[in-house]
Amino acid sequence: QVQLVESGGGLAQPGGSLTLSCSASGFTFSKYAMSWARQAPGKGLEWVAGMYSDDSDRFYDDSVKGRFTISRDNAKNTLYLQMNNLKPKDTALYYCAKVSPGRLLWEYDYWGQGTQVTVSS
């Protein structure tokens, strides 16, 4: 069965950096688009970044553009999110998500349990 396991979250100071990882199993990772999404306390799920299987392009929400970088290692079945210049508004539970085949990058069919990112001084 599809499994997505996020790691790398934690506490960071404003302006700091964190790198999230997502280990994927149960499907052919290299064939599918993947995304990161987040949910802040009291808010809905927000798409953050996504990329296609062939790494032809990467897409970001305006709120993280220039600060976050999504990447993947298909040989390791792993998705990454490098987060720089973190802001308190980035505090959220971050999810790795498998994009539904043929759908937009914010339309998922599977996601993990999430990893908490807290940005605070």
Side-chain angles (χ1 to χ4, degrees):
Q1 68 279 20
V2 172
Q3 284 196 317
L4 299 168
V5 180
E6 303 94 338
S7 61
L11 176 64
Q13 292 190 339
S17 298
L18 285 173
T19 300
L20 307 184
S21 299
C22 170
S23 178
S25 62
F27 65 105
T28 306
F29 178 76
S30 61
K31 291 187 175 180
Y32 292 94
M34 298 291 296
S35 284
W36 287 97
R38 66 187 180 186
Q39 186 166 23
K43 296 190 175 181
L45 190 64
E46 174 190 31
W47 174 79
V48 173
M51 62 187 301
Y52 292 102
S53 59
D54 61 358
D55 198 8
S56 55
D57 211 341
R58 306 175 188 187
F59 299 88
Y60 301 92
D61 183 78
D62 286 346
S63 64
V64 306
K65 199 172 293 183
R67 301 189 296 121
F68 290 11
T69 302
I70 187 172
S71 63
R72 65 194 294 161
D73 185 336
N74 285 339
K76 296 183 178 180
N77 290 347
T78 303
L79 183 74
Y80 302 98
L81 186 68
Q82 173 68 44
M83 305 186 295
N84 297 326
N85 191 20
L86 283 162
K87 305 176 184 297
K89 65 179 181 178
D90 295 318
T91 295
L93 188 61
Y94 282 72
Y95 297 94
C96 167
K98 176 181 171 292
V99 177
S100 296
R103 307 298 292 183
L104 300 173
L105 289 174
W106 46 86
E107 298 180 294
Y108 325 119
D109 53 6
Y110 294 93
W111 50 91
Q113 293 188 326
T115 185
Q116 178 67 39
V117 171
T118 302
V119 184
S120 174
S121 55

